[in-house]
């Protein structure tokens, strides 16, 4: 089995986080991995416990604890065991771990190593391609959390395909609240309202993780065809792989 700690400031962080990790190491190897993710704080919290967002300093403290226990687990169990989701590194302003440090991306669906995997796959895909002078103009919508990395990856694509214009639009999450910054919780209404007056080019790229599983519907019941009609442009869905990211832009 694989576990997850949803961290809430002043509830189960600090010494309590250390105790939780320590206690769960007793289940190794039956428990293969443990992820630590920050609680998502939406704008709809009437009647709920008052939770505070994690600051940059908080994120660094959380990473220090996780890295400490990774070293302990590698020494005693030959595995890092506990992993931080991408948000911690981004919000702390730290470099993402290497691919090797994720040990097979066991918790990638929980946002653990998702950005590192995408970066490495995009670089590998571009290494295998011969650049050319093709012309294309596309736009890409993303959550604010990944904005910096998506812009950097688009820059790598343009190094090989200099005549491909890529506009990256970070979408503010007004539906759930601006503290929600991941692309997987973007809604059709926010995408339409924030892109309706933008130059979108030949087509708009949207990440696959904002769709309901097996459907072309977003969390607010807006469909892909409704987005296309509202924005008067074609939409392409980018799967969570480097191959799809590059090919959807240039092909």
């Amino acid at each position: 089995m694989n576990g997850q700690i949803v961290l809430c400031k002043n509830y189960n962080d600090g010494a309590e986080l250390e105790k939780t990790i320590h206690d769960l190491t007793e289940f190794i190897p039956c428990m293969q991995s443990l992820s630590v993710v920050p609680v998502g704080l939406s704008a709809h919290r009437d009647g709920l416990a008052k939770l505070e967002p994690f600051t940059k300093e908080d994120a660094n403290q959380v990473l220090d604890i996780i890295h400490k226990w990774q070293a302990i687990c590698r020494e005693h169990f030959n595995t890092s065991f506990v992993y931080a989701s991408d948000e911690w590194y981004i919000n702390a302003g730290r470099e993402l771990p290497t691919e090797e440090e994720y040990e097979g991306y066991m918790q990638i669906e929980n946002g653990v190593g998702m950005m590192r995997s995408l970066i490495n796959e995009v670089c590998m895909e571009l290494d295998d391609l011969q650049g050319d002078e093709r012309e294309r103009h596309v736009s890409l919508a993303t959550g604010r959390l990944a904005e910096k990395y998506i812009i950097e990856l688009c820059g790598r694509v343009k190094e090989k395909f200099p005549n491909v214009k890529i506009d990256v639009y970070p979408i503010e999450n007004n539906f759930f609240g601006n503290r929600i910054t991941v692309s997987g919780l973007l809604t059709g209404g926010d995408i339409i309202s924030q892109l309706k007056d933008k130059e979108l080019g030949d087509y708009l790229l949207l990440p696959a993780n904002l769709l309901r599983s097996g459907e072309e519907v977003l969390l607010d019941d807006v469909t892909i065809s409704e987005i296309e009609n509202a924005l008067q442009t074609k939409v392409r869905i980018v799967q969570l792989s480097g191959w799809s990211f590059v090919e959807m832009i240039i092909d």
Side-chain angles (χ1 to χ4, degrees), residues 108-109 114-115 117-119 121-122 125 140-142 146 150 153 183-184 203-217 224 235-249:
I108 195 167
E109 291 184 356
M114 187 175 291
M115 193 54 62
S117 176
L118 179 63
I119 291 170
E121 288 183 4
V122 168
E125 179 68 17
L140 192 154
T142 184
I150 297 301
L153 290 177
S183 61
Y203 42 82
L204 169 66
L205 302 178
L206 297 178
N209 62 349
L210 53 67
L211 297 177
R212 294 177 183 171
S213 180
E215 302 180 62
E216 290 199 347
V217 182
I224 293 299
V235 170
R236 285 186 170 185
I237 301 301
V238 181
Q239 301 301 319
L240 299 180
S241 73
W243 177 88
S244 181
F245 184 91
V246 175
E247 291 300 319
M248 288 295 102
I249 291 174

Side-chain angles (χ1 to χ4, degrees), residues 87-103:
E87 296 105 306
W88 297 114
Y89 292 99
I90 296 172
N91 292 334
R94 294 196 190 184
E95 287 293 318
L96 297 170
T98 65
E99 184 171 60
E100 292 73 22
E101 290 175 281
Y102 285 109
E103 299 179 343

Side-chain angles (χ1 to χ4, degrees), residues 154-185:
C154 289
R156 290 177 182 264
V157 173
K158 285 183 62 62
E159 288 175 5
K160 284 217 165 179
F161 302 93
N163 293 329
V164 174
K165 181 181 178 182
I166 314 167
D167 292 319
V168 178
Y169 295 108
I171 303 298
E172 193 79 30
N173 199 322
N174 296 320
F175 187 90
F176 288 110
N178 59 16
R179 289 177 179 172
I180 303 298
T181 58
V182 295
S183 61
L185 293 177

